[in-house]
């Protein structure tokens, strides 16, 4: 938007490098005012290039696109389309590495291409009476890293709080993350309200005899776990004490409202869908998984009266694997995938975000499901990342930019969660960087000088994906915590 309202000086010239504010409250200043700026269409450079929005900051004599162009866009031969009043002079100066700057008379050569690759160009405008002049600095910003990629870099990993752990499962209880680990010395519970700070408080706990840590599930403030005899236990104090519920399950799908849903083995190798507290039961279909499913994601929509719980992948009663999603509305289980992902067990699934531009460069944020990892029928770990824009109905391979980089091992049986980090800078000392050649240094979009915001944005919430535990392709336990984020979400919000 045009930044027009400011108290300033009454000098007859302006310069973007001057410390004095430049004011357009005097009508004389309109004689050098740039009122519109865009780039000429050129599909060989970028589709809809002429629709890229540029901010004209008249107070500081700056023109720039706050939402940067995609990484790799060539900006060395762009044709600017500039609306300026009748003037005596309008010259564009392109800096050169040799010091011999190139000057173009825009009034007589408005269709000449301009090289913005050196960071900026200068536009010098002189009024028709030569009484007023102004020099604008023009930037064409390009992302230094792919904004929509799933970036595993910067603060990429940290060790588990228990160094000798052989199993781990993380759950969210209230505003805290509770990480349970097992080692030769017993079980431990580590708690933090901010996993990005890696400041866990760890203490020993006692799990039920034969507890299967992979089945640990949080439902509100209550934890549930099953043992190797399929007995279901509950804890209302975050795992300090456990009580037998009297119910049995062999696998817990996840938490749905105030109950958990799972399967109960029956004679003859069949299974029932059950809940705790108990509601109605139903037979598990042959193609529905009974173990090894992803963690559940619950969502509400305007098209249904009840929330929907989604799982993906897993092993069926006959031993086969599936890549389909299954959904539960509190009463009925049903398959929900028309296009499944790869058939695996032990995948992780998380709700997340992606972004797209319209034909006129409006940015849209999409809610998606991401699924990754898991083991296929041959025992190999799936390295591919899949995404779904329609809550598991259609799965597809995520773009290459969202696939796991070579520095991160795919995992089977890991647990995943989303936690916000308050961002004021890129990294914290608690994390160790993985040096990845395809990841660029931290990049922040410059915010416009004028804004509708009432206060400057100095910090913002950035949702990270955290992965805990699991095993790698060699069957070795993963004793790291990995984390990832869509690059765009790390950028300072545009005001």
């Amino acid at each position: 938007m045009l930044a027009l309202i400011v108290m300033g000086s009454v000098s007859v010239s302006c310069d973007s490098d001057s410390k004095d504010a430049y004011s357009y409250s005097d009508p004389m200043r309109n004689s050098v005012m740039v009122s519109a700026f865009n780039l000429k269409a050129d599909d060989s450079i970028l589709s809809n290039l002429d629709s890229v929005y540029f901010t004209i900051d008249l107070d500081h004599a700056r023109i720039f696109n706050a939402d940067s162009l995609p990484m790799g866009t060539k900006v060395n031969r762009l044709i600017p389309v500039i609306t300026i009043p009748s003037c005596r002079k309008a010259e564009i100066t392109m800096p050169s590495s040799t010091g011999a700057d190139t000057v173009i008379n825009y009034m007589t050569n408005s269709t000449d291409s301009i090289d913005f690759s050196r960071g900026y160009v200068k536009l010098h405008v002189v009024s028709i009476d030569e009484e007023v002049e102004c020099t604008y600095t023009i930037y064409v910003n390009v992302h230094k890293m792919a904004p929509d990629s799933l970036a595993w870099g910067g603060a990429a990993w940290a060790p588990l709080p228990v160094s000798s752990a052989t199993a781990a499962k993380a759950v969210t209880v209230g505003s805290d993350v509770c990480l349970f680990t097992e080692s030769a010395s017993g079980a431990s519970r580590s708690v933090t309200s901010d996993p990005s700070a890696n400041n866990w408080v760890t203490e020993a706990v006692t799990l039920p005899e034969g507890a299967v840590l992979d089945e640990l599930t949080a439902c509100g403030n209550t934890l549930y776990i099953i043992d190797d005899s399929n007995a279901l236990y509950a804890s209302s104090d975050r795992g300090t004490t456990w009580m037998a519920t009297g119910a049995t399950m062999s696998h817990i799908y996840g938490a749905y409202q105030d109950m958990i849903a799972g399967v109960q083995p029956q004679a003859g190798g069949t299974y029932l869908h059950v809940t705790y507290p108990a509601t109605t039961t139903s037979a598990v279909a042959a193609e529905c998984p009974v173990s090894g499913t992803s963690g559940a994601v619950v969502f509400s929509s305007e098209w249904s009266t009840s929330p929907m719980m989604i799982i993906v992948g897993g092993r069926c009663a006959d031993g086969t694997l599936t890549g389909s999603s299954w959904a539960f509305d509190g009463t009925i289980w049903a398959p929900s995938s028309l296009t499944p992902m790869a058939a695996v067990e032990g995948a992780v699934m998380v709700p997340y975000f992606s972004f797209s531009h319209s034909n006129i460069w409006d940015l849209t944020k999409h809610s998606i499901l991401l699924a990754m990892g898991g083991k296929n029928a041959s025992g190999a770990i799936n390295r591919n990342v899949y995404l779904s824009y329609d809550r598991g109905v259609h799965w597809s391979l995520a773009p290459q930019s969202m696939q796991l980089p070579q520095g991160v091992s795919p995992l089977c049986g890991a647990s995943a969660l989303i936690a916000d980090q308050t961002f004021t800078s890129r990294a914290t000392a608690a994390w160790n960087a993985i040096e990845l050649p395809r990841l660029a240094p931290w990049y922040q979009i410059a915010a416009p000088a004028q804004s509708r915001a009432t206060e400057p944005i100095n910090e913002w919430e950035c949702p990270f994906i955290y992965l805990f535990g699991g095993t790698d392709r060699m069957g070795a336990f993963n004793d790291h915590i990995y984390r990832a984020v869509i690059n765009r979400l790390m950028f300072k919000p545009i005001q």
Side-chain angles (χ1 to χ4, degrees):
M1 68 179 177
L2 300 182
L4 294 173
I5 303 174
V6 70
M7 295 298 293
S9 69
V10 293
S11 62
V12 296
S13 65
C14 72
D15 191 320
S16 61
D17 296 324
S18 171
K19 294 182 181 179
D20 295 326
Y22 181 65
S23 173
Y24 281 84
S25 58
D26 189 327
M28 290 181 61
R29 306 304 176 264
N30 293 329
S31 61
V32 292
M33 181 181 73
V34 173
S35 58
F37 183 97
N38 65 279
L39 300 174
K40 185 177 180 180
D42 189 341
D43 288 347
S44 67
I45 297 174
L46 188 69
S47 297
N48 304 299
L49 183 62
D50 56 331
S51 297
V52 175
Y53 179 76
F54 279 81
T55 296
I56 302 174
D57 176 4
L58 296 176
D59 301 328
H60 299 83
R62 292 193 308 156
I63 302 171
F64 58 95
N65 56 315
D67 192 3
S68 297
L69 301 181
M71 182 179 69
T73 302
K74 302 297 184 183
V75 295
N76 59 328
R77 294 182 61 84
L78 301 178
I79 300 176
V81 181
I82 310 172
T83 302
I84 49 180
S86 297
C87 57
R88 178 69 61 184
K89 181 188 294 185
E91 293 180 337
I92 296 176
T93 301
M94 293 180 285
S96 168
S97 59
T98 63
D101 295 346
T102 301
V103 179
I104 292 177
N105 184 340
Y106 186 76
M107 297 178 67
T108 59
N109 301 285
S110 61
T111 60
D112 283 7
S113 62
I114 305 299
D115 184 0
F116 290 91
S117 63
R118 298 194 180 279
Y120 65 91
V121 302
K122 296 284 188 177
L123 170 65
H124 184 64
V125 182
V126 179
S127 65
I128 194 72
D129 58 6
E130 299 186 354
E131 293 294 321
V132 183
E133 60 185 74
C134 184
T135 300
Y136 296 86
T137 304
I138 306 173
Y139 305 87
V140 177
N141 293 318
V142 178
H143 280 301
K144 296 181 181 179
M145 60 181 176
D148 300 338
S149 66
L150 187 64
W152 300 75
W157 70 270
L160 289 173
V162 177
S163 59
S164 57
T166 56
K169 181 67 178 287
V171 293
T172 301
V173 183
S175 60
D176 292 335
V177 175
C178 295
L179 173 62
F180 287 77
T181 54
E182 289 182 322
S183 65
S185 58
S188 298
R189 177 189 60 212
S190 302
V191 180
T192 183
S193 60
D194 180 11
S196 68
N198 208 30
N199 56 351
W200 302 89
V201 176
T202 301
E203 58 183 316
V205 293
T206 301
L207 298 179
E209 184 70 24
V212 181
L213 190 58
D214 284 347
E215 300 293 337
L216 180 71
T217 302
C219 181
N221 291 319
T222 303
L223 298 180
Y224 293 93
I225 201 168
I226 57 178
D227 66 14
D228 51 13
S229 298
N230 300 330
L232 178 67
Y233 293 81
S235 173
S236 58
D237 55 11
R238 300 189 176 190
T240 301
T241 59
W242 295 88
M243 175 190 70
T245 64
T248 59
M249 293 184 187
S250 57
H251 176 59
I252 301 173
Y253 290 127
Y256 180 88
Q257 295 184 320
D258 58 354
M259 63 185 177
I260 59 169
V263 292
Q264 185 183 83
Q266 303 293 298
T270 61
Y271 291 81
L272 288 179
H273 287 298
V274 295
T275 63
Y276 182 85
T279 57
T280 57
T281 64
S282 61
V284 176
E287 64 272 22
C288 180
V290 295
S291 66
T293 62
S294 72
V297 173
V298 179
F299 64 86
S300 299
S301 88
E302 60 272 30
W303 298 289
S304 60
T305 57
S306 301
M308 195 73 68
M309 182 170 76
I310 300 293
I311 58 170
V312 70
R315 187 174 293 274
C316 302
D318 63 1
T320 60
L321 299 178
T322 181
S324 293
S325 304
W326 283 74
F328 178 60
D329 65 357
T331 303
I332 299 172
W333 281 94
S336 60
S337 288
L338 295 178
T339 306
M341 57 174 276
V344 294
E345 62 178 338
V348 297
M349 178 177 65
V350 290
Y352 211 61
F353 312 102
S354 71
F355 298 86
S356 66
H357 283 100
S358 70
N359 289 339
I360 58 172
W361 286 92
D362 287 332
L363 188 68
T364 301
K365 183 178 181 180
H366 305 279
S367 294
I368 63 172
L369 290 176
L370 283 177
M372 65 192 80
K375 186 182 297 184
N376 63 24
S378 65
I381 304 293
N382 165 53
R383 186 168 188 85
N384 292 325
V385 177
Y386 294 84
L387 62 79
S388 174
Y389 287 97
D390 51 13
R391 293 162 176 164
V393 177
H394 296 89
W395 289 96
S396 62
L397 275 175
Q400 183 59 42
S401 62
M402 295 179 72
Q403 298 297 322
L404 291 177
Q406 292 301 313
V408 178
S409 297
L411 299 169
C412 176
S415 54
L417 55 84
I418 306 293
D420 283 346
Q421 176 183 343
T422 301
F423 242 48
T424 55
S425 61
R426 185 184 182 197
T428 64
W431 294 84
N432 299 276
I434 296 177
E435 295 300 327
L436 301 171
R438 75 179 185 87
L439 291 180
W442 163 246
Y443 176 71
Q444 178 173 292
I445 299 175
Q450 192 80 353
S451 171
R452 288 186 293 267
T454 57
E455 296 180 358
I457 297 176
N458 296 316
E459 61 181 35
W460 63 100
E461 297 303 311
C462 185
F464 277 81
I465 300 171
Y466 290 83
L467 294 178
F468 303 84
T471 55
D472 63 19
R473 62 185 181 87
M474 303 301 293
F477 174 69
N478 166 46
D479 59 0
H480 290 61
I481 304 170
Y482 289 107
R483 71 180 200 165
V485 65
I486 296 288
N487 285 337
R488 181 179 292 279
L489 297 174
M490 294 192 294
F491 298 162
K492 183 177 179 178
I494 299 173
Q495 291 181 267

